[in-house]
Amino acid sequence: MTSMLRAALLLQTVQAANYFPGLAPASYSPEQNLPLFVNKLTSTHTQIPYDYYSLPFCHPKIKVQKCNIGSCLEGDKIENSLYKLNVLKNKPCSIVCRKKVTKIGAKRFARAIDDDYRVHWLVDNLPASTLLTNKVDPTRPYHVRGFPVGFRQEDESGKTQHFLFN
């Protein structure tokens, strides 16, 4: 009887090790839809986070997801997106939407790029990240949360151009 109790407790401990409080484990079948949620924009230069849709990205009818107390205290605002992902299905890039950006919107994107803002997405409650090369030891790359809104590049005349990752 004691050995059965120990085995049951051990099994429960192993199962608990794979469970994050507040998140039920999910299983997915091949080609099942996997929602991509958008969260916020952050920068280490300004320390001011913004909602993802505060920049003029294409967006669906926005539905704010319920957040747990930890993510609410961190200022997360998790919302749906237009991006469609499927489990274990390779798909070529496709156009999600077309949007004409105003001069003011373009300036807002350029400012976000200049201030090194990063986009935070969530897939299956896991944050998107960028793989970077370790300058000290290139054989040991590392991940950082999110990815840049875009990048700057000078053209032949020396004029700075801004490009979006979107």
Side-chain angles (χ1 to χ4, degrees):
M1 180 79 168
T2 330
S3 60
M4 286 179 58
L5 183 59
R6 282 188 198 151
L9 287 173
L10 179 62
L11 180 61
Q12 187 177 13
T13 304
V14 170
Q15 288 174 340
N18 294 318
Y19 175 74
F20 292 105
L23 298 176
S27 297
Y28 298 97
S29 55
E31 299 193 21
Q32 183 177 347
N33 182 38
L34 187 61
L36 185 148
F37 294 101
V38 298
N39 189 354
K40 58 187 169 186
L41 306 167
T42 61
S43 170
T44 56
H45 296 290
T46 67
Q47 302 297 313
I48 301 170
Y50 289 102
D51 292 341
Y52 178 81
Y53 291 122
S54 66
L55 288 179
F57 289 112
C58 290
H59 59 81
K61 183 176 179 180
I62 299 171
K63 299 174 190 165
V64 178
Q65 304 297 307
K66 291 180 182 177
C67 63
N68 61 36
I69 193 160
S71 56
C72 287
L73 290 173
E74 288 182 2
D76 292 344
K77 187 175 179 186
I78 300 168
E79 300 167 311
N80 58 322
S81 74
L82 291 170
Y83 297 101
K84 304 291 181 209
L85 303 176
N86 297 94
V87 177
L88 296 173
K89 184 175 182 184
N90 289 326
K91 295 192 300 189
C93 293
S94 61
I95 296 172
V96 174
C97 74
R98 295 182 191 274
K99 182 174 184 173
K100 191 170 192 171
V101 179
T102 65
K103 285 185 180 182
I104 292 170
K107 286 181 181 179
R108 289 171 57 208
F109 274 124
R111 178 184 241 166
I113 292 168
D114 289 339
D115 288 339
D116 292 324
Y117 270 88
R118 299 185 69 76
V119 174
H120 295 272
W121 284 354
L122 295 167
V123 177
D124 193 26
N125 288 318
L126 296 171
S129 67
T130 304
L131 183 64
L132 297 177
T133 302
N134 186 334
K135 293 177 183 174
V136 175
D137 183 0
T139 63
R140 298 189 63 180
Y142 62 98
H143 288 266
V144 293
R145 274 189 157 188
F147 59 90
V149 169
F151 64 96
R152 296 176 293 279
Q153 186 173 346
E154 288 188 8
D155 62 15
E156 298 83 32
S157 68
K159 182 180 176 186
T160 301
Q161 296 180 321
H162 294 82
F163 298 91
L164 291 177
F165 288 123
N166 195 13

